[in-house]
Amino acid sequence: MTLDDYSPERIADRMQIQDCMYRWCRAVDRLDFSGIRDVFHADAIDMHGAYDGPVDGLVDWISKRHAAIPFSMHAVSNLLIEFAGSDLALVETYVRTTQRYPAEARAALDQLAGGKAGTGDGGMDLMTCSRYVDRFERRDDRRWKIAHRTLVADWKQFVPVPADQPTPPASQQTGQRNQDDFIFRQRRALGIEP
């Protein structure tokens, strides 16, 4: 680390990389497939373990695996950025993920668990602590994007979904995994492109 790592230009680079990670979380949780593509360079590789390959395959894998998952939340923290050049950075980001797998999505959950995920045939919540280890590059369009990602899985827990789970009142906004989610409606209302 040098003083140059905190120059005004480098602080702007750090903020753009951080913003990219936040946009990834929103995109995957809202199943915004163009948003997912936008955080990666077109030739990027993602090594998720259950899926390893190019970005188009990642989008296809997420769209199939998440089709029956009504809730997903990725929360990132401990974002450490180390510059390896003017347009190259290694970024380690801690991520906590919570996802609801109803009974009809158990096959996808069992695949992630390497067999049977928990006992019984009902729904399960998956909670994880993992890290994204990303190679970020700034290329011709001058935007920092992910060129290579490896998901490092540190911990997983499965929790059975109780039959009498609480539900929000009808008057409360609830998350949707599509472009009708409240955030996208607000973005459209303010003239921000979805």
Side-chain angles (χ1 to χ4, degrees):
M1 180 176 8
T2 68
L3 287 177
D4 288 344
D5 286 342
Y6 294 93
S7 68
E9 295 80 15
R10 274 305 197 210
I11 291 172
D13 292 340
R14 289 176 183 280
M15 295 304 295
Q16 193 177 120
I17 289 169
Q18 177 181 296
D19 183 68
C20 186
M21 293 304 300
Y22 293 158
R23 287 184 294 110
W24 155 260
C25 292
R26 177 196 281 172
V28 73
D29 289 337
R30 303 283 68 87
L31 295 178
D32 175 6
F33 302 120
S34 64
I36 291 172
R37 283 186 178 90
D38 191 50
V39 301
F40 289 94
H41 286 292
D43 61 347
I45 299 296
D46 182 280
M47 305 298 287
H48 241 75
Y51 169 80
D52 296 332
V55 174
D56 284 338
L58 174 68
V59 169
D60 186 56
W61 175 71
I62 289 171
S63 70
K64 290 175 182 167
R65 189 179 137 241
H66 285 233
I69 299 172
F71 174 82
S72 175
M73 182 165 288
H74 290 69
V76 295
S77 65
N78 297 28
L79 190 117
L80 184 61
I81 301 165
E82 298 176 281
F83 293 103
S86 59
D87 297 316
L88 179 62
L90 178 65
V91 180
E92 179 187 35
T93 308
Y94 285 40
V95 59
R96 292 201 59 157
T97 306
T98 304
Q99 295 175 326
R100 164 92 14 114
Y101 287 78
E104 60 269 20
R106 283 297 295 269
L109 187 58
D110 289 342
Q111 179 189 16
L112 286 178
K116 192 75 170 161
T119 59
D121 295 325
M124 297 288 269
D125 284 341
L126 168 66
M127 292 176 278
T128 72
C129 291
S130 303
R131 290 171 287 139
Y132 296 121
V133 178
D134 294 323
R135 177 186 173 122
F136 268 82
E137 295 178 7
R138 178 172 44 193
R139 296 186 183 171
D140 296 335
D141 67 359
R142 306 309 297 160
R143 289 181 57 207
W144 286 94
K145 293 185 179 185
I146 301 164
H148 191 278
R149 163 169 284 171
T150 300
L151 176 70
V152 178
D154 291 315
W155 172 83
K156 291 182 184 178
Q157 180 177 358
F158 302 104
V159 178
V161 175
D164 61 346
Q165 64 183 335
T167 57
S171 62
Q172 185 176 22
Q173 289 290 330
T174 57
Q176 298 182 48
R177 300 200 71 205
N178 56 44
Q179 297 292 312
D180 289 328
D181 183 78
F182 185 74
I183 188 63
F184 290 112
R185 294 194 318 261
Q186 290 299 300
R187 292 181 82 219
R188 287 190 293 271
L190 294 175
I192 301 170
E193 292 295 319

